[in-house]
Amino acid sequence: MGGRGIVRALVVASALVAGLGALAVQAQDSSYYGPRLIEERARIPAQNGRTIAATVLRPDAQGPFGAVILNHGVSASARERARESSDLLINAAAVFARRGYVVVMPLRRGFGATGGEMAEDPGSCSNPDYRAAEANAADDVMAAYDYARSLPYVDGNRMMLAGQSAGGMVALYTAGTRQPQGLQAVLAFAAGRGGDPDINPGIPCAIEPVARIFDMIGKSIRVPVLMNYAENDLFFSPKVSRQWYERLNASWTDAEYALQPAFGKDGHYLFGDTLGVRYWLPTVETFLARHNVLFARLDATDPDRAPLLALDRVPNIKSDACKSLYRAFLESPGPRAYAVSGDGRCGFAGGLQDARDVAMKQCGNVARSNCMLYAVDDAVIWKDTIAGQGAATPER
């Protein structure tokens, strides 16, 4: 790492969850599956002698790999900002890392381990200065971007900017105003500023000042953009987010708007939730394929992994809902389990000690025929019976 100030290096496997703490140092923890990943803590040099705390999640191989700068949102209170952690986006980061990307998650000024004064406060809703706020945030994002391109295992011509909420906004702003070298695409999840679901659900303050930032971005950005939202986003309603997209799209037509179904109590958090993968991952895959950006699991061609990764081999399921739920299973930490029924229903649980029982119960709640486990942890346990001997049965 070239003396870049790494203060902690943890070797873990494919999926990570918040709160691992000291347990994460167990390199062979069998609760995590897929390509081995390395998680590292770094201090990144920034302007005026400052450093920015960051987490780097990368494949355990030489590369070269592409890189994603993944940016966090903005909490309302100073106390919450002090608690900001890369753990909040680590599951989503692992999805990218399994597909051959080094994911750098910087904590901008005023957040988490970086500390200091918040540099991106736009001021009051009545007279906000979003341009100055985004410019300050973009300085920190560019420090992480340049750092990622300097890593020996990163291909500096295969870069992406991504982020959730205000992190999606600054990803767009950085791409448009800084035009970083090697940038291939921007993935903005629930991007925006000024939302307050407690006071005014779905309607952020200063909609028009934020829209003017999208105007500016649209006139200067030069890479494909995906703006991804959920129907029940309580920070930015579909009406508001589509308005912002249209302001950007008025000048830059290589941008796409995706509206996912309602998710949980507040779809604003779809991106960081493991179950949210079932919605945003296919959208991202289709978008990146359309723009010829490499994005495939590193273990996709491993013959030993083929039975587990082959969606078309899962018996009985025909609905898109069950197919997408199996994809969530593949991205989930363990213990994990996936169950199917004879009439095409399914159930899934991940990160639970009783995952088998929960998956079976979930399946049984919607099925009209018996449910059976198809896959548990990192293996398919389903075994077909001899032809003519009846229905398939799982291994006991």
Side-chain angles (χ1 to χ4, degrees), residues 191-247:
R193 292 272 190 174
D196 192 332
D198 296 326
I199 296 177
N200 204 0
I203 310 299
C205 73
I207 294 175
E208 178 57 26
V210 174
R212 289 196 290 269
I213 297 298
F214 280 101
D215 288 336
M216 183 176 65
I217 293 169
K219 293 174 182 176
S220 56
I221 199 166
R222 294 294 177 267
V223 296
V225 169
L226 174 64
M227 295 176 62
N228 192 96
Y229 297 87
E231 287 182 354
N232 65 329
D233 189 317
L234 298 185
F235 284 69
F236 316 122
S237 70
K239 180 180 179 180
V240 171
S241 61
R242 185 173 288 278
Q243 175 185 332
W244 286 343
Y245 161 75
E246 289 173 352
R247 295 288 285 268

Side-chain angles (χ1 to χ4, degrees), residues 307-308 310 313-315 326 338-340 372-376 379-382 394:
L308 184 73
R313 292 184 53 167
V314 183
Y326 188 71
Y338 184 87
V340 296
M372 290 179 279
L373 291 171
Y374 174 71
V376 174
V380 173
I381 66 170
W382 185 281

Side-chain angles (χ1 to χ4, degrees), residues 44 52-55 69-72 86 104-108 140-141 144:
I44 296 174
I52 296 169
T55 296
I69 312 303
L70 182 57
N71 300 288
H72 61 77
S86 299
V104 179
M105 292 171 279
L107 291 167
R108 303 187 300 277
D140 293 349
V141 173

Side-chain angles (χ1 to χ4, degrees), residues 32-392:
Y32 306 103
Y33 308 107
R36 280 174 57 87
L37 306 179
I38 296 174
E39 180 189 357
E40 298 163 325
R41 302 288 187 259
R43 298 294 305 196
I44 296 174
Q47 295 179 354
N48 302 321
R50 298 180 293 103
T51 62
I52 296 169
T55 296
V56 180
L57 189 67
R58 62 183 177 90
D60 185 14
Q62 293 184 349
F65 302 110
V68 178
I69 312 303
L70 182 57
N71 300 288
H72 61 77
V74 174
S75 300
S77 72
R79 177 176 294 183
E80 290 174 331
R81 292 193 293 272
R83 295 174 179 171
E84 187 70 45
S85 167
S86 299
D87 289 340
L88 299 175
L89 293 177
I90 201 73
N91 283 328
V95 175
F96 290 95
R98 291 185 201 109
R99 287 159 177 79
Y101 285 86
V102 175
V103 185
V104 179
M105 292 171 279
L107 291 167
R108 303 187 300 277
R109 279 170 286 172
F111 296 90
T114 294
E117 293 294 323
M118 181 183 177
E120 55 196 80
D121 185 351
S124 68
C125 280
S126 60
N127 187 30
D129 188 350
Y130 282 113
R131 183 173 296 195
E134 298 298 343
N136 287 335
D139 287 342
D140 293 349
V141 173
M142 280 305 303
Y145 191 96
D146 292 339
Y147 168 80
R149 295 189 80 236
S150 75
L151 296 172
Y153 42 78
V154 167
D155 179 349
N157 292 315
R158 294 182 52 220
M159 304 290 294
M160 285 194 281
L161 286 166
Q164 194 267 341
S165 193
M169 191 73 185
V170 72
L172 288 164
Y173 185 91
T174 303
T177 61
R178 308 300 172 88
Q179 298 184 356
Q181 185 176 354
L183 184 63
Q184 290 188 301
V186 179
L187 307 175
F189 300 92
R193 292 272 190 174
D196 192 332
D198 296 326
I199 296 177
N200 204 0
I203 310 299
C205 73
I207 294 175
E208 178 57 26
V210 174
R212 289 196 290 269
I213 297 298
F214 280 101
D215 288 336
M216 183 176 65
I217 293 169
K219 293 174 182 176
S220 56
I221 199 166
R222 294 294 177 267
V223 296
V225 169
L226 174 64
M227 295 176 62
N228 192 96
Y229 297 87
E231 287 182 354
N232 65 329
D233 189 317
L234 298 185
F235 284 69
F236 316 122
S237 70
K239 180 180 179 180
V240 171
S241 61
R242 185 173 288 278
Q243 175 185 332
W244 286 343
Y245 161 75
E246 289 173 352
R247 295 288 285 268
L248 184 149
N249 186 245
S251 299
W252 179 242
T253 57
D254 201 356
E256 299 178 25
Y257 177 90
L259 186 64
Q260 307 296 352
F263 180 81
K265 295 181 179 180
D266 185 353
H268 190 71
Y269 299 104
L270 177 148
F271 177 64
D273 191 299
T274 299
L275 276 176
V277 166
R278 64 190 295 192
Y279 299 113
W280 68 259
L281 180 55
T283 300
V284 167
E285 288 176 330
T286 300
F287 169 78
L288 294 178
R290 188 176 298 120
H291 295 285
N292 300 312
V293 177
L294 296 176
F295 195 69
R297 284 184 66 120
L298 294 172
D299 54 353
T301 59
D302 182 347
D304 294 334
R305 303 283 293 170
L308 184 73
L309 298 180
L311 181 60
D312 57 359
R313 292 184 53 167
V314 183
N316 304 334
I317 66 169
K318 299 178 181 179
S319 69
D320 290 340
C322 281
K323 290 177 181 178
S324 64
L325 197 64
Y326 188 71
R327 302 197 68 184
F329 163 81
L330 293 175
E331 304 297 335
S332 173
R336 63 185 186 180
Y338 184 87
V340 296
S341 69
D343 62 343
R345 306 294 181 172
C346 59
F348 153 72
L352 300 173
Q353 290 301 319
D354 58 345
R356 290 176 179 236
D357 293 340
V358 174
M360 288 289 286
K361 182 178 180 180
Q362 295 259 347
C363 179
N365 287 340
V366 295
R368 294 183 178 179
S369 63
N370 289 338
C371 294
M372 290 179 279
L373 291 171
Y374 174 71
V376 174
D377 292 336
D378 209 27
V380 173
I381 66 170
W382 185 281
K383 300 293 183 182
D384 291 332
T385 59
I386 300 173
Q389 297 296 310

